[in-house]
Coordinates of all heavy atoms in Angstrom, one line a residue:
S23 N 81.6 -195.0 17.1 CA 81.8 -194.1 16.0 C 82.1 -194.8 14.7 O 82.6 -196.0 14.8 CB 82.8 -193.1 16.4 OG 84.1 -193.7 16.2
T24 N 82.0 -194.2 13.6 CA 82.3 -194.8 12.3 C 83.8 -195.1 12.2 O 84.2 -196.2 11.7 CB 81.9 -193.8 11.2 OG1 80.5 -193.5 11.3 CG2 82.2 -194.4 9.9
A25 N 84.6 -194.2 12.7 CA 86.1 -194.6 12.7 C 86.4 -195.8 13.5 O 87.2 -196.7 13.0 CB 86.9 -193.3 13.2
A26 N 85.9 -195.9 14.7 CA 86.1 -197.1 15.6 C 85.6 -198.3 14.8 O 86.3 -199.4 14.9 CB 85.5 -196.9 16.9
N27 N 84.4 -198.2 14.2 CA 83.9 -199.4 13.5 C 84.8 -199.9 12.4 O 85.1 -201.0 12.1 CB 82.5 -199.2 13.0 CG 81.5 -199.1 14.1 OD1 81.7 -199.6 15.2 ND2 80.4 -198.4 13.9
T28 N 85.4 -198.8 11.6 CA 86.2 -199.1 10.5 C 87.5 -199.8 10.9 O 87.9 -200.8 10.4 CB 86.6 -197.8 9.8 OG1 85.4 -197.3 9.3 CG2 87.6 -198.0 8.6
I29 N 88.1 -199.3 12.0 CA 89.3 -199.9 12.6 C 89.0 -201.3 13.1 O 89.8 -202.2 12.8 CB 89.8 -199.0 13.8 CG1 90.4 -197.7 13.3 CG2 90.9 -199.7 14.6 CD1 90.7 -196.6 14.3
Y30 N 87.9 -201.5 13.8 CA 87.5 -202.8 14.2 C 87.4 -203.8 13.1 O 87.8 -205.0 13.1 CB 86.3 -202.8 15.1 CG 85.9 -204.1 15.7 CD1 86.7 -204.8 16.6 CD2 84.7 -204.8 15.3 CE1 86.4 -206.0 17.1 CE2 84.3 -206.0 15.9 CZ 85.3 -206.6 16.8 OH 84.9 -207.9 17.3
E31 N 86.7 -203.4 12.0 CA 86.5 -204.3 10.8 C 87.9 -204.6 10.2 O 88.1 -205.8 9.7 CB 85.6 -203.6 9.8 CG 84.2 -203.6 10.3 CD 83.6 -204.9 10.6 OE1 83.8 -205.9 9.7 OE2 82.8 -205.0 11.5
R32 N 88.8 -203.7 10.2 CA 90.1 -203.9 9.6 C 90.8 -205.0 10.5 O 91.5 -205.9 10.0 CB 91.0 -202.6 9.6 CG 90.5 -201.7 8.5 CD 91.2 -200.4 8.6 NE 90.8 -199.5 7.6 CZ 91.0 -198.1 7.7 NH1 91.8 -197.7 8.7 NH2 90.6 -197.3 6.8
L33 N 90.7 -204.8 11.8 CA 91.4 -205.8 12.8 C 90.7 -207.2 12.6 O 91.3 -208.2 12.6 CB 91.2 -205.4 14.2 CG 92.2 -204.3 14.7 CD1 91.9 -204.0 16.2 CD2 93.6 -205.0 14.7
K34 N 89.4 -207.2 12.5 CA 88.7 -208.5 12.3 C 89.2 -209.2 11.0 O 89.4 -210.4 11.0 CB 87.2 -208.3 12.1 CG 86.6 -208.1 13.5 CD 85.0 -207.8 13.4 CE 84.2 -208.5 12.4 NZ 82.8 -208.3 12.5
Y35 N 89.4 -208.4 10.0 CA 89.9 -209.0 8.7 C 91.3 -209.6 9.0 O 91.6 -210.7 8.5 CB 90.0 -208.0 7.6 CG 90.6 -208.5 6.3 CD1 89.8 -209.2 5.5 CD2 91.9 -208.2 6.0 CE1 90.4 -209.7 4.3 CE2 92.5 -208.6 4.8 CZ 91.7 -209.4 3.9 OH 92.3 -209.8 2.8
L36 N 92.2 -208.9 9.6 CA 93.5 -209.4 9.9 C 93.6 -210.6 10.8 O 94.5 -211.5 10.7 CB 94.5 -208.3 10.4 CG 94.9 -207.2 9.5 CD1 95.7 -206.1 10.2 CD2 95.7 -207.8 8.4
C37 N 92.6 -210.6 11.7 CA 92.6 -211.7 12.7 C 91.8 -212.9 12.3 O 91.7 -213.9 13.0 CB 92.0 -211.2 14.0 SG 93.1 -209.9 14.9
G38 N 91.3 -212.8 11.1 CA 90.5 -214.0 10.6 C 89.1 -213.9 11.1 O 88.5 -215.0 11.5
R39 N 88.5 -212.8 11.3 CA 87.1 -212.6 11.7 C 86.9 -212.6 13.2 O 85.9 -212.1 13.6 CB 86.1 -213.5 11.1 CG 86.1 -213.5 9.5 CD 85.9 -212.2 8.8 NE 84.6 -211.6 9.2 CZ 84.3 -210.3 9.0 NH1 85.2 -209.5 8.5 NH2 83.1 -209.9 9.3
N40 N 87.8 -213.1 14.0 CA 87.7 -213.1 15.4 C 88.8 -212.3 16.1 O 90.0 -212.8 16.0 CB 87.6 -214.5 16.0 CG 86.3 -215.1 15.6 OD1 85.2 -214.5 15.7 ND2 86.4 -216.4 15.1
V41 N 88.6 -211.1 16.6 CA 89.7 -210.4 17.3 C 89.8 -211.0 18.7 O 89.0 -210.8 19.6 CB 89.3 -208.9 17.4 CG1 90.5 -208.2 18.1 CG2 89.1 -208.4 16.0
T42 N 90.9 -211.8 18.9 CA 91.1 -212.5 20.2 C 92.6 -212.1 20.6 O 93.4 -211.5 19.8 CB 91.1 -214.0 20.0 OG1 92.1 -214.4 19.1 CG2 89.7 -214.4 19.5
V43 N 92.9 -212.4 21.8 CA 94.2 -212.1 22.3 C 95.3 -212.9 21.5 O 96.2 -212.4 21.1 CB 94.3 -212.6 23.8 CG1 95.7 -212.4 24.3 CG2 93.4 -211.7 24.7
T44 N 95.0 -214.2 21.2 CA 95.8 -215.0 20.4 C 96.1 -214.4 19.1 O 97.2 -214.3 18.6 CB 95.3 -216.4 20.3 OG1 95.2 -216.9 21.7 CG2 96.3 -217.3 19.6
A45 N 95.0 -214.0 18.4 CA 95.1 -213.5 17.1 C 95.8 -212.2 17.0 O 96.7 -212.0 16.1 CB 93.6 -213.3 16.4
L46 N 95.6 -211.3 18.0 CA 96.3 -210.0 18.1 C 97.8 -210.2 18.3 O 98.6 -209.6 17.7 CB 95.7 -209.2 19.2 CG 94.4 -208.3 18.8 CD1 93.9 -207.7 20.0 CD2 94.7 -207.4 17.8
S47 N 98.1 -211.2 19.1 CA 99.5 -211.4 19.4 C 100.3 -211.9 18.2 O 101.5 -211.8 18.2 CB 99.7 -212.5 20.6 OG 99.3 -213.7 20.2
K48 N 99.7 -212.5 17.3 CA 100.3 -212.9 16.0 C 100.6 -211.9 15.0 O 101.4 -212.1 14.1 CB 99.5 -214.1 15.4 CG 99.4 -215.3 16.2 CD 98.6 -216.4 15.6 CE 98.5 -217.6 16.5 NZ 97.7 -218.7 15.9
L49 N 99.9 -210.7 15.2 CA 100.1 -209.6 14.3 C 101.4 -208.7 14.6 O 101.7 -208.5 15.8 CB 98.9 -208.6 14.3 CG 97.6 -209.3 13.8 CD1 96.4 -208.3 14.1 CD2 97.6 -209.8 12.5
A50 N 102.0 -208.3 13.6 CA 103.1 -207.3 13.8 C 102.6 -206.0 14.2 O 101.4 -205.6 13.8 CB 104.0 -207.2 12.5
D51 N 103.3 -205.2 14.9 CA 102.9 -203.8 15.3 C 102.4 -203.0 14.1 O 101.5 -202.3 14.1 CB 104.0 -203.1 16.0 CG 104.1 -203.6 17.5 OD1 103.4 -204.5 17.9 OD2 105.1 -203.1 18.2
E52 N 103.2 -203.2 13.0 CA 103.0 -202.4 11.8 C 101.6 -202.8 11.2 O 100.9 -202.0 10.6 CB 104.1 -202.6 10.7 CG 105.4 -202.0 11.2 CD 106.1 -203.0 12.2 OE1 105.8 -204.2 12.4 OE2 107.1 -202.4 12.8
E53 N 101.2 -204.1 11.3 CA 99.9 -204.5 10.7 C 98.8 -203.8 11.5 O 97.8 -203.4 11.0 CB 99.8 -206.1 10.8 CG 100.7 -206.8 9.9 CD 100.6 -208.3 10.1 OE1 100.9 -208.8 11.1 OE2 100.1 -208.9 9.1
I54 N 99.0 -203.8 12.9 CA 97.9 -203.2 13.7 C 97.8 -201.7 13.4 O 96.7 -201.1 13.3 CB 98.3 -203.5 15.2 CG1 98.1 -205.0 15.5 CG2 97.3 -202.7 16.1 CD1 98.7 -205.3 16.9
Q55 N 99.0 -201.1 13.3 CA 99.0 -199.6 13.0 C 98.4 -199.3 11.6 O 97.7 -198.3 11.5 CB 100.5 -199.1 13.1 CG 100.9 -199.1 14.5 CD 102.4 -198.9 14.6 OE1 103.1 -198.6 13.8 NE2 103.0 -199.3 15.9
R56 N 98.5 -200.2 10.7 CA 98.0 -199.9 9.4 C 96.4 -200.0 9.5 O 95.7 -199.5 8.5 CB 98.5 -200.9 8.3 CG 99.8 -200.6 7.7 CD 100.1 -201.3 6.5 NE 100.2 -202.8 6.7 CZ 101.3 -203.4 7.0 NH1 102.5 -202.8 7.0 NH2 101.3 -204.7 7.1
C57 N 95.9 -200.5 10.4 CA 94.4 -200.5 10.6 C 93.9 -199.2 11.1 O 92.8 -198.9 11.1 CB 94.0 -201.5 11.7 SG 94.2 -203.2 11.2
G58 N 94.8 -198.3 11.4 CA 94.5 -197.0 11.9 C 94.7 -196.7 13.4 O 94.2 -195.8 14.0
I59 N 95.5 -197.6 14.0 CA 95.7 -197.6 15.4 C 97.1 -197.0 15.6 O 98.1 -197.4 15.0 CB 95.7 -198.9 16.1 CG1 94.2 -199.4 15.9 CG2 96.0 -199.0 17.5 CD1 94.0 -200.9 16.3
S60 N 97.3 -196.0 16.5 CA 98.5 -195.3 16.7 C 99.5 -196.3 17.4 O 99.1 -197.4 17.9 CB 98.3 -194.1 17.6 OG 97.9 -194.5 18.9
K61 N 100.7 -195.9 17.4 CA 101.8 -196.6 18.2 C 101.4 -196.8 19.7 O 101.6 -197.9 20.2 CB 103.2 -196.0 18.1 CG 103.8 -196.1 16.7 CD 105.2 -195.5 16.6 CE 105.7 -195.7 15.2 NZ 107.1 -195.1 15.1
A62 N 100.9 -195.8 20.3 CA 100.6 -195.8 21.7 C 99.5 -196.7 21.9 O 99.4 -197.5 22.9 CB 100.2 -194.4 22.2
K63 N 98.4 -196.7 21.0 CA 97.3 -197.7 21.2 C 97.7 -199.1 20.9 O 97.2 -200.0 21.6 CB 96.1 -197.3 20.3 CG 95.5 -196.0 20.7 CD 94.4 -195.5 19.8 CE 93.9 -194.2 20.2 NZ 92.8 -193.7 19.2
T64 N 98.6 -199.2 20.0 CA 99.1 -200.6 19.7 C 99.9 -201.2 21.0 O 99.7 -202.3 21.3 CB 100.1 -200.6 18.5 OG1 99.4 -200.1 17.3 CG2 100.7 -201.9 18.3
S65 N 100.7 -200.3 21.6 CA 101.3 -200.7 22.8 C 100.3 -201.1 23.9 O 100.4 -202.1 24.7 CB 102.2 -199.6 23.3 OG 102.8 -199.9 24.5
F66 N 99.2 -200.2 24.0 CA 98.3 -200.5 25.0 C 97.5 -202.0 24.8 O 97.3 -202.7 25.6 CB 97.1 -199.5 24.9 CG 96.0 -199.8 25.9 CD1 96.0 -199.4 27.2 CD2 94.8 -200.4 25.4 CE1 94.9 -199.6 27.9 CE2 93.7 -200.7 26.2 CZ 93.8 -200.3 27.5
L67 N 97.2 -202.2 23.4 CA 96.6 -203.5 23.0 C 97.6 -204.7 23.4 O 97.2 -205.7 23.9 CB 96.4 -203.6 21.6 CG 95.2 -202.7 21.0 CD1 95.1 -202.7 19.6 CD2 93.8 -203.3 21.7
R68 N 98.8 -204.5 23.2 CA 99.9 -205.5 23.6 C 99.9 -205.7 25.1 O 99.9 -206.8 25.6 CB 101.2 -205.1 23.1 CG 101.4 -205.1 21.6 CD 101.9 -206.4 21.1 NE 102.1 -206.3 19.7 CZ 101.6 -207.0 18.7 NH1 100.8 -208.1 19.2 NH2 101.9 -206.9 17.5
D69 N 99.9 -204.6 25.9 CA 99.9 -204.7 27.3 C 98.6 -205.4 27.7 O 98.6 -206.2 28.7 CB 99.9 -203.3 28.0 CG 101.2 -202.7 27.8 OD1 102.3 -203.4 27.5 OD2 101.4 -201.4 28.0
A70 N 97.4 -205.0 27.3 CA 96.1 -205.6 27.5 C 96.1 -207.1 27.3 O 95.6 -207.9 28.1 CB 95.0 -204.9 26.8
A71 N 96.6 -207.5 26.1 CA 96.7 -208.9 25.7 C 97.6 -209.7 26.7 O 97.2 -210.7 27.1 CB 97.2 -209.0 24.3
R72 N 98.8 -209.2 26.9 CA 99.6 -209.8 27.8 C 99.1 -210.0 29.3 O 99.1 -211.1 29.8 CB 101.0 -209.0 28.0 CG 102.0 -209.7 28.7 CD 103.3 -208.9 28.8 NE 103.8 -208.4 27.5 CZ 103.7 -207.0 27.2 NH1 103.3 -206.2 28.0 NH2 104.1 -206.7 26.0
F73 N 98.4 -209.0 29.7 CA 97.8 -209.0 31.0 C 96.7 -210.1 31.1 O 96.5 -210.8 32.0 CB 97.2 -207.7 31.4 CG 96.5 -207.7 32.7 CD1 97.2 -207.7 33.9 CD2 95.1 -207.8 32.9 CE1 96.6 -207.7 35.2 CE2 94.5 -207.9 34.1 CZ 95.2 -207.9 35.3
T74 N 95.9 -210.2 30.0 CA 94.7 -211.1 29.9 C 95.3 -212.5 29.9 O 94.7 -213.4 30.6 CB 93.9 -210.8 28.6 OG1 93.5 -209.5 28.7 CG2 92.8 -211.8 28.5
V75 N 96.3 -212.8 29.2 CA 97.0 -214.1 29.2 C 97.5 -214.5 30.5 O 97.3 -215.6 31.0 CB 98.1 -214.2 28.1 CG1 98.9 -215.5 28.3 CG2 97.5 -214.1 26.7
Q76 N 98.1 -213.5 31.3 CA 98.7 -213.8 32.6 C 97.6 -213.9 33.6 O 97.9 -214.4 34.7 CB 99.7 -212.7 32.9 CG 100.9 -212.7 32.0 CD 101.9 -211.6 32.2 OE1 101.5 -210.6 32.9 NE2 103.0 -211.6 31.6
N77 N 96.4 -213.3 33.4 CA 95.3 -213.3 34.5 C 94.0 -213.7 33.8 O 93.1 -212.9 33.6 CB 95.2 -211.9 34.9 CG 96.5 -211.3 35.6 OD1 96.8 -211.7 36.8 ND2 97.3 -210.7 34.9
P78 N 93.9 -215.0 33.5 CA 92.8 -215.5 32.8 C 91.4 -215.3 33.5 O 90.4 -215.3 32.8 CB 93.1 -217.0 32.5 CG 94.1 -217.3 33.5 CD 94.8 -216.1 33.8
K79 N 91.4 -215.2 34.8 CA 90.2 -215.0 35.5 C 89.7 -213.6 35.7 O 88.8 -213.2 36.3 CB 90.3 -215.7 36.8 CG 90.4 -217.2 36.8 CD 90.3 -217.9 38.1 CE 90.6 -219.4 37.8 NZ 90.5 -220.1 39.1
I80 N 90.5 -212.6 35.0 CA 90.2 -211.2 35.2 C 88.8 -210.8 34.8 O 88.1 -210.0 35.5 CB 91.2 -210.3 34.5 CG1 91.0 -208.9 34.9 CG2 91.2 -210.5 33.0 CD1 91.3 -208.5 36.3
F81 N 88.2 -211.4 33.8 CA 86.9 -211.1 33.3 C 85.8 -211.5 34.2 O 84.9 -210.9 34.4 CB 86.7 -211.7 31.9 CG 87.6 -211.0 30.9 CD1 88.7 -211.7 30.3 CD2 87.4 -209.7 30.5 CE1 89.5 -211.1 29.5 CE2 88.3 -209.1 29.6 CZ 89.3 -209.8 29.1
Q82 N 86.1 -212.6 34.9 CA 85.1 -213.0 36.0 C 85.0 -211.9 37.2 O 84.0 -211.6 37.6 CB 85.5 -214.3 36.6 CG 85.4 -215.4 35.6 CD 85.9 -216.8 36.2 OE1 86.6 -216.7 37.2 NE2 85.7 -217.9 35.6
S83 N 86.2 -211.4 37.5 CA 86.3 -210.3 38.5 C 85.7 -209.0 38.0 O 84.9 -208.4 38.7 CB 87.7 -210.1 38.8 OG 88.3 -211.2 39.5
L84 N 86.0 -208.7 36.7 CA 85.5 -207.4 36.2 C 83.9 -207.5 36.0 O 83.3 -206.5 36.2 CB 86.2 -207.1 34.8 CG 87.6 -206.8 34.8 CD1 88.1 -206.8 33.4 CD2 87.8 -205.5 35.5
A85 N 83.4 -208.7 35.7 CA 81.9 -208.8 35.5 C 81.2 -208.5 36.8 O 80.0 -208.1 36.8 CB 81.6 -210.2 35.0
K86 N 81.8 -208.6 37.9 CA 81.2 -208.4 39.2 C 81.2 -206.9 39.7 O 80.6 -206.6 40.7 CB 81.8 -209.3 40.3 CG 81.6 -210.8 40.0 CD 82.3 -211.6 41.0 CE 82.2 -213.1 40.6 NZ 83.0 -214.0 41.5
M87 N 82.0 -206.1 38.9 CA 82.2 -204.7 39.3 C 81.3 -203.8 38.6 O 80.9 -204.1 37.4 CB 83.7 -204.4 39.0 CG 84.7 -205.1 39.8 SD 86.3 -204.5 39.2 CE 87.4 -205.7 40.1
E88 N 81.1 -202.6 39.1 CA 80.5 -201.5 38.4 C 81.4 -201.1 37.3 O 82.6 -201.2 37.4 CB 80.2 -200.3 39.3 CG 79.2 -200.6 40.4 CD 77.7 -200.8 39.9 OE1 77.4 -200.2 38.9 OE2 77.1 -201.8 40.4
A89 N 81.0 -200.5 36.3 CA 81.7 -200.1 35.1 C 82.9 -199.1 35.5 O 84.0 -199.3 35.1 CB 80.9 -199.4 34.0
T90 N 82.6 -198.2 36.4 CA 83.7 -197.2 36.8 C 84.7 -197.9 37.6 O 85.9 -197.7 37.4 CB 83.1 -196.0 37.6 OG1 82.0 -195.5 36.7 CG2 84.1 -195.1 38.0
E91 N 84.4 -198.9 38.4 CA 85.3 -199.6 39.2 C 86.2 -200.4 38.3 O 87.4 -200.5 38.5 CB 84.6 -200.5 40.2 CG 85.5 -201.2 41.2 CD 84.7 -202.1 42.1 OE1 83.5 -202.3 42.0 OE2 85.4 -202.6 43.1
A92 N 85.5 -201.2 37.3 CA 86.3 -202.0 36.4 C 87.3 -201.1 35.6 O 88.4 -201.5 35.4 CB 85.4 -202.7 35.5
K93 N 86.8 -200.0 35.1 CA 87.7 -199.1 34.3 C 88.8 -198.7 35.1 O 90.0 -198.7 34.6 CB 86.8 -198.0 33.8 CG 87.6 -196.9 33.1 CD 86.7 -195.7 32.7 CE 87.5 -194.5 32.2 NZ 86.6 -193.4 31.9
N94 N 88.6 -198.2 36.3 CA 89.6 -197.8 37.2 C 90.7 -198.8 37.5 O 91.9 -198.6 37.5 CB 89.2 -197.1 38.5 CG 88.5 -195.8 38.3 OD1 88.7 -195.1 37.3 ND2 87.5 -195.5 39.1
L95 N 90.2 -200.1 37.7 CA 91.1 -201.2 37.9 C 92.0 -201.4 36.8 O 93.2 -201.6 36.9 CB 90.3 -202.4 38.3 CG 91.2 -203.8 38.4 CD1 92.1 -203.7 39.6 CD2 90.3 -205.0 38.6
L96 N 91.4 -201.5 35.5 CA 92.2 -201.7 34.3 C 93.2 -200.6 34.1 O 94.3 -200.8 33.7 CB 91.3 -201.8 33.1 CG 90.5 -203.1 33.1 CD1 89.4 -203.0 32.0 CD2 91.3 -204.3 32.9
L97 N 92.8 -199.4 34.3 CA 93.7 -198.2 34.1 C 94.9 -198.4 35.1 O 96.0 -198.1 34.7 CB 93.0 -197.0 34.4 CG 92.1 -196.5 33.2 CD1 91.3 -195.3 33.6 CD2 92.9 -196.3 31.9
N98 N 94.6 -198.8 36.3 CA 95.6 -199.0 37.3 C 96.6 -200.1 37.0 O 97.8 -199.9 37.0 CB 95.0 -199.2 38.7 CG 96.0 -199.2 39.9 OD1 97.1 -198.9 39.6 ND2 95.6 -199.6 41.0
I99 N 96.0 -201.2 36.6 CA 96.8 -202.4 36.3 C 97.7 -202.1 35.0 O 98.9 -202.4 35.1 CB 95.8 -203.5 35.9 CG1 95.2 -204.1 37.2 CG2 96.6 -204.7 35.3 CD1 94.1 -205.1 37.0
L100 N 97.2 -201.5 34.0 CA 97.9 -201.2 32.8 C 98.7 -199.9 32.8 O 99.4 -199.6 31.9 CB 96.9 -201.3 31.6 CG 96.2 -202.6 31.4 CD1 95.2 -202.4 30.4 CD2 97.2 -203.7 31.0
S101 N 98.6 -199.2 33.9 CA 99.2 -197.9 34.0 C 99.0 -197.0 32.9 O 100.0 -196.4 32.3 CB 100.7 -198.2 34.3 OG 100.9 -198.9 35.5
K102 N 97.8 -196.9 32.4 CA 97.4 -196.1 31.3 C 96.3 -195.2 31.7 O 95.5 -195.6 32.6 CB 96.9 -196.9 30.1 CG 97.8 -197.9 29.5 CD 99.0 -197.3 28.9 CE 100.0 -198.3 28.3 NZ 101.2 -197.8 27.8
T103 N 96.3 -194.0 31.2 CA 95.3 -193.0 31.7 C 94.4 -192.4 30.5 O 93.8 -191.4 30.7 CB 95.9 -191.8 32.4 OG1 96.9 -191.2 31.5 CG2 96.6 -192.3 33.7
N104 N 94.5 -193.1 29.3 CA 93.8 -192.6 28.1 C 92.4 -193.2 28.0 O 92.3 -194.3 27.7 CB 94.6 -192.8 26.9 CG 94.2 -192.1 25.7 OD1 93.1 -191.6 25.7 ND2 95.0 -192.0 24.8
D105 N 91.4 -192.4 28.3 CA 90.0 -192.8 28.2 C 89.6 -193.1 26.8 O 88.6 -193.8 26.6 CB 89.1 -191.8 28.8 CG 88.9 -191.8 30.3 OD1 89.4 -192.8 30.8 OD2 88.3 -190.9 30.8
M106 N 90.4 -192.7 25.8 CA 90.0 -193.0 24.4 C 89.8 -194.5 24.1 O 88.9 -194.9 23.4 CB 91.1 -192.5 23.5 CG 90.6 -192.4 22.1 SD 91.9 -191.8 21.0 CE 92.7 -190.5 21.9
F107 N 90.5 -195.3 24.8 CA 90.4 -196.8 24.6 C 89.0 -197.2 25.1 O 88.4 -198.2 24.5 CB 91.5 -197.5 25.3 CG 92.8 -197.2 24.8 CD1 93.7 -196.4 25.6 CD2 93.3 -197.6 23.6 CE1 94.9 -196.1 25.1 CE2 94.5 -197.3 23.1 CZ 95.3 -196.5 23.8
F108 N 88.5 -196.7 26.1 CA 87.2 -197.1 26.6 C 86.0 -196.5 25.9 O 84.9 -196.9 26.0 CB 87.1 -196.8 28.1 CG 88.2 -197.6 28.9 CD1 89.4 -197.0 29.2 CD2 87.9 -198.8 29.3 CE1 90.3 -197.7 29.9 CE2 88.9 -199.5 29.9 CZ 90.1 -199.0 30.2
S109 N 86.2 -195.6 25.1 CA 85.1 -195.0 24.3 C 84.9 -195.8 23.1 O 83.8 -195.7 22.4 CB 85.5 -193.6 23.9 OG 86.6 -193.5 22.9
L110 N 85.7 -196.9 22.7 CA 85.5 -197.7 21.6 C 84.5 -198.8 22.0 O 84.0 -199.5 21.0 CB 86.8 -198.3 21.2 CG 87.9 -197.4 20.7 CD1 89.1 -198.2 20.4 CD2 87.4 -196.7 19.4
A111 N 84.2 -199.0 23.2 CA 83.3 -200.1 23.5 C 81.9 -199.8 23.3 O 81.4 -198.7 23.0 CB 83.5 -200.4 25.1

């Protein structure tokens, strides 16, 4: 969607053109929220970044799964149930 693209472009600008776990972790919550991301979504991004750092091989495992299976695993791991995050992909 246009809104999601705008948010992503704002994040890219703040992260130095590459939105990475490392770049996101250096931003203050307020900076992320000024991009148009709610407090809840900012918390989700922080949880996702932390999990990714702690489980570097997760993407290899996810790549072998069907989309629904991968989505369910991530929702279970992060204890989040908001599909809105997955609609941005």
Side-chain angles (χ1 to χ4, degrees):
S23 79
T24 303
N27 290 337
T28 300
I29 290 168
Y30 183 64
E31 288 302 318
R32 290 173 183 163
L33 276 176
K34 280 176 37 178
Y35 177 78
L36 285 177
C37 291
R39 302 302 301 161
N40 292 314
V41 181
T42 65
V43 172
T44 303
L46 279 174
S47 68
K48 292 179 181 178
L49 298 176
D51 286 355
E52 294 78 17
E53 290 177 295
I54 295 171
Q55 290 165 16
R56 278 195 300 266
C57 290
I59 299 174
S60 69
K61 287 183 181 182
K63 289 178 186 174
T64 298
S65 176
F66 176 88
L67 286 173
R68 294 270 185 230
D69 290 346
R72 187 177 315 108
F73 179 81
T74 301
V75 168
Q76 293 172 350
N77 299 279
K79 294 184 180 185
I80 188 65
F81 293 108
Q82 293 169 348
S83 298
L84 291 171
K86 296 175 186 174
M87 297 178 187
E88 294 294 324
T90 302
E91 183 183 10
K93 176 182 166 181
N94 289 336
L95 174 64
L96 289 171
L97 288 172
N98 187 6
I99 290 169
L100 298 172
S101 300
K102 301 293 181 182
T103 58
N104 192 339
D105 274 349
M106 193 178 322
F107 297 107
F108 295 95
S109 68
L110 297 176

